[in-house]
Amino acid sequence: MKLDTILVLDFGGQYCHLIGKRVRELNVYSEVVRFDISPADIEELGKNFHIKGMILSGGPLSVYARNSPKFRKEILDLNIPIMGLCYGHQLIAHVSGGKIMPIKKKEYGTTYAFIDKPVDVLKNLNKKERVWMSHGDTVLSLPKEYEILAHTENCPIAAFKDRARPLYGIQWHPEVVHTEKGMEVFKNFVFRVCKCEPNWRMEDFIDNAVGEIKSEANDKKVIVALSGGIDSSVATVLASKSIGKNLTAVFVDHGFMRKGEVESIKNLFQEFDIHFVALNEHKKFLKKLKGIIDPESKRKSIGEEFIRTFEKVAKRVGAEYLLQGTIYPDRIESGYRKHSDRIKTHHNVGGLPTKMKFKKVIEPLRDLYKDEVRKIGKKLELPEKIVSRQPFPGPGLAVRIVGEVTPKKIEILQEADAIITEEIEKRRLDRNMWQYFGILTDTKTTGVKGDARAYGYTVAVRAVQSKEAMTASFANISYQILEKISTRITNELSDVTRVVYDITHKPPATIEWE
Ligand code: XMP
């Protein structure tokens, strides 16, 4: 069954992903897509989803700014309802020939909107509504085919509709909790205007995934690539529920895991009622990476070695299918869509070799974000240790060692990373962080240790806050804690002479260094 779907066009606003979530909270599926999605891309997505509406997100720029993102005008002719929020609202007005101006008194935070016509997306709203605004520009005039629905003290056109087409603009942010009737606006758009069926449910997800895996596996044997992280663990438990004894979970220890991690994963999964195989493949992976410096080549080599190892196990157990815990951001970053740029080749997506001895790769979590996978993990009663585990990339420390990977470098990074983890976790700072870890840079610098010259590695500390890893901000760790981390690393590791803190957001940087 094709799910009724609302696309959220991402203009870079802080709350873009929140819009998608709000729609899903109404049990309607939604996907965040690029702002410049073309009608052809929409048609392509339409093969899997029933696209019933589009929401244009907010964004940080003025519509007049050079390089400000614009949607493709042709999407207005698809007869799919569109609602623009904040920047999206201004953009519809701008593209249609309306006038946008910097507002005299900028509106940030709580404001009151006066609803002049409580119709369509504003149905059931009171005359005066508390809303949340964050804008420096405002729509001053609109062509006559538009009708004004609301205003605020400083903003003459706070909401509008096209008289003929299902096209709406709202200056405030209904997705933010401070907007009192925010969900009412989403309900109106999703159900009243787009006529969606509420046919998406987190609980249903489990049943659907279990059914889907069963039908895809078709009574044949399957191996699941289990790294011990939340995504692959949830995928494993779903697959086990679905096909039971036909499943073999394969944990490949490539030698790039963090300190103590291999033992803890083995101990945990040996307790599960799952056929579990753990393989030590250190030598093979190291050999494969010998001399490789380029990050993309590293990722592809690791992706290939993983597959070759899985093929070996598959042959032994007679499996025809490979199941992976790939999630949506893995696919976005690997540039799975035609017009999206390849940021990096996630080992389990773009890093897969073109030739594989598997009939198919099954990916039950392919459309979810990490926080949704966590929710499913909780529903499946996975141990808290797994559910709250910080994300760890499949290629492991190999993409946290800049340049060639050697046993010595792995050892240094494992130790440095363990110190960072310990210092963060003992202060419970991990609760507010998406990830915190060490990077071994390829820069060696001069130092002085015990009155003698030292020439050693530079370790970078990376700690970020994020909601779904598509964007991230570096974490505001106090100098005192950073000092403790730096002192411990340089004292305890003779090969390290310098520690630096990475103060770059994503974008422009990515979370991992490679
Ligand atoms: P970046 O570095 O792209 O990472 O900002 C976004 C999130 O994805 C994780 N990551 C990966 N996960 N295979 C994975 O399973 C990979 O190849 C990979 N690369 C990055 C990263 O840790 C972060 O949470």
Side-chain angles (χ1 to χ4, degrees):
M1 183 193 69
K2 278 199 211 172
L3 288 174
D4 282 357
T5 298
I6 301 289
L7 298 181
V8 180
L9 275 60
D10 181 0
F11 289 91
Q14 277 183 70
Y15 308 112
C16 176
H17 288 268
L18 207 51
I19 299 171
K21 261 190 130 161
R22 294 287 179 250
V23 174
R24 286 199 281 246
E25 281 167 23
L26 294 171
N27 301 328
V28 172
Y29 187 66
S30 84
E31 280 216 20
V32 176
V33 296
R34 283 182 63 118
F35 62 87
D36 56 357
I37 189 164
S38 68
D41 286 336
I42 294 173
E43 200 182 315
E44 184 67 27
L45 278 172
K47 288 182 184 162
N48 296 321
F49 303 99
H50 201 180
I51 313 293
K52 300 286 282 278
M54 293 188 264
I55 300 179
L56 316 183
S57 83
L61 294 175
S62 157
V63 292
Y64 292 117
R66 221 158 47 96
N67 300 331
S68 62
K70 307 265 179 353
F71 57 79
R72 295 186 190 219
K73 260 184 144 174
E74 311 91 272
I75 67 166
L76 298 179
D77 304 325
L78 297 176
N79 207 25
I80 299 177
I82 296 179
M83 175 168 77
L85 303 179
C86 195
Y87 178 85
H89 156 91
Q90 295 166 9
L91 200 56
I92 296 174
H94 175 62
V95 168
S96 314
K99 197 166 158 201
I100 321 295
M101 285 289 283
I103 194 171
K104 275 201 203 95
K105 212 167 138 207
K106 296 193 188 325
E107 288 183 308
Y108 295 117
T110 298
T111 311
Y112 287 92
F114 299 93
I115 312 298
D116 305 310
K117 288 194 179 146
V119 296
D120 300 5
V121 290
L122 302 188
K123 187 102 186 157
N124 300 329
L125 265 62
N126 297 319
K127 271 207 152 19
K128 187 177 173 188
E129 287 288 352
R130 201 169 79 173
V131 301
W132 200 84
M133 296 266 203
S134 177
H135 67 128
D137 281 355
T138 188
V139 179
L140 273 191
S141 70
L142 282 167
K144 61 177 183 321
E145 62 266 28
Y146 290 93
E147 190 178 354
I148 299 170
L149 301 184
H151 70 277
T152 70
E153 209 181 314
N154 301 300
C155 173
I157 306 177
F160 63 77
K161 68 174 278 201
D162 184 300
R163 291 177 203 273
R165 295 176 294 178
L167 188 57
Y168 303 88
I170 295 181
Q171 179 58 69
W172 64 88
H173 287 269
E175 70 275 24
V176 173
V177 283
H178 313 289
T179 296
E180 250 167 22
K181 293 263 179 69
M183 276 315 264
E184 199 63 38
V185 171
F186 283 112
K187 273 189 209 159
N188 284 334
F189 181 67
V190 167
F191 300 122
R192 202 175 286 277
V193 177
C194 302
K195 311 227 173 321
C196 289
E197 283 295 321
N199 51 13
W200 189 84
R201 228 167 246 107
M202 198 64 99
E203 289 82 354
D204 290 349
F205 178 88
I206 297 176
D207 294 340
N208 285 345
V210 165
E212 190 187 295
I213 297 168
K214 203 181 203 105
S215 82
E216 292 205 57
N218 199 15
D219 273 337
K220 299 285 187 296
K221 292 212 154 78
V222 175
I223 62 167
V224 55
L226 175 65
S227 70
I230 174 76
D231 306 340
S232 65
S233 300
V234 165
T236 300
V237 174
L238 285 174
S240 165
K241 266 176 165 292
S242 169
I243 55 171
K245 297 284 172 240
N246 271 347
L247 183 76
T248 301
V250 186
F251 168 61
V252 179
D253 172 13
H254 44 27
F256 314 135
M257 300 303 270
R258 289 166 291 189
K259 193 176 174 184
E261 193 165 27
V262 173
E263 285 320 306
S264 101
I265 291 171
K266 281 195 205 163
N267 290 342
L268 194 76
F269 283 95
Q270 267 149 6
E271 280 174 23
F272 280 53
D273 183 24
I274 290 174
H275 182 214
F276 174 75
V277 177
L279 299 169
N280 177 327
E281 298 285 321
H282 294 197
K283 281 196 188 135
K284 271 209 189 145
F285 275 83
L286 255 186
K287 196 168 153 209
K288 184 98 185 170
L289 290 193
K290 194 157 174 50
I292 299 184
I293 290 169
D294 174 62
E296 283 295 274
S297 307
K298 260 190 207 176
R299 285 167 175 275
K300 284 187 181 141
S301 301
I302 292 169
E304 165 145 30
E305 203 50 46
F306 262 123
I307 293 296
R308 300 301 163 233
T309 312
F310 294 140
E311 284 172 347
K312 194 171 73 180
V313 182
K315 196 169 169 201
R316 215 165 66 208
V317 301
E320 295 181 19
Y321 295 92
L322 172 68
L323 193 137
Q324 300 197 125
T326 313
I327 59 169
Y328 191 61
D330 298 348
R331 298 197 295 139
I332 299 184
E333 294 221 324
S334 296
Y336 91 101
R337 252 186 267 122
K338 240 189 291 168
H339 296 290
S340 69
D341 199 17
R342 174 174 294 171
I343 307 297
K344 60 179 63 172
T345 305
H346 283 233
H347 75 290
N348 50 345
V349 188
L352 295 177
T354 41
K355 284 203 176 130
M356 292 191 281
K357 292 182 188 148
F358 288 104
K359 275 200 177 143
K360 197 177 175 195
V361 180
I362 305 172
E363 295 177 324
L365 310 178
R366 64 188 174 276
D367 295 321
L368 300 184
Y369 287 86
K370 183 86 71 190
D371 56 339
E372 291 169 318
V373 178
R374 286 206 167 108
K375 278 190 195 144
I376 292 165
K378 276 196 183 135
K379 284 211 186 304
L380 291 170
E381 294 176 0
L382 278 170
E384 180 55 30
K385 205 157 66 175
I386 296 184
V387 174
S388 59
R389 189 172 179 248
Q390 58 166 324
F392 185 61
L397 300 182
V399 289
R400 292 180 179 174
I401 292 171
V402 180
E404 190 178 0
V405 179
T406 64
K408 178 78 189 163
K409 288 185 187 170
I410 297 171
E411 197 189 312
I412 298 171
L413 183 54
Q414 278 173 335
E415 294 302 327
D417 186 75
I419 293 171
I420 296 166
T421 307
E422 195 185 311
E423 292 300 326
I424 301 264
E425 288 180 3
K426 85 175 174 210
R427 293 174 176 83
R428 302 306 293 139
L429 297 177
D430 52 315
R431 289 180 192 174
N432 296 321
M433 283 182 200
W434 175 265
Q435 277 173 297
Y436 41 98
F437 55 87
I439 296 284
L440 190 66
T441 75
D442 58 350
T443 300
K444 285 186 117 181
T445 69
T446 301
V448 48
K449 287 192 176 183
D451 290 334
R453 176 189 157 84
Y455 187 62
Y457 286 102
T458 306
V459 165
V461 179
R462 183 72 164 143
V464 296
Q465 283 162 331
S466 176
K467 287 241 171 301
E468 33 26 41
M470 297 304 298
T471 58
S473 358
F474 70 83
N476 204 339
I477 304 181
S478 74
Y479 282 155
Q480 206 186 359
I481 299 165
L482 289 172
E483 183 186 8
K484 176 81 184 172
I485 290 172
S486 158
T487 310
R488 275 196 63 193
I489 293 176
T490 44
N491 281 355
E492 293 173 35
L493 303 178
S494 57
D495 294 291
V496 180
T497 43
R498 204 170 291 265
V499 177
V500 295
Y501 187 48
D502 182 350
I503 51 164
T504 334
H505 300 314
K506 171 184 181 174
T510 54
I511 297 175
E512 307 288 344
W513 274 35
E514 289 205 328

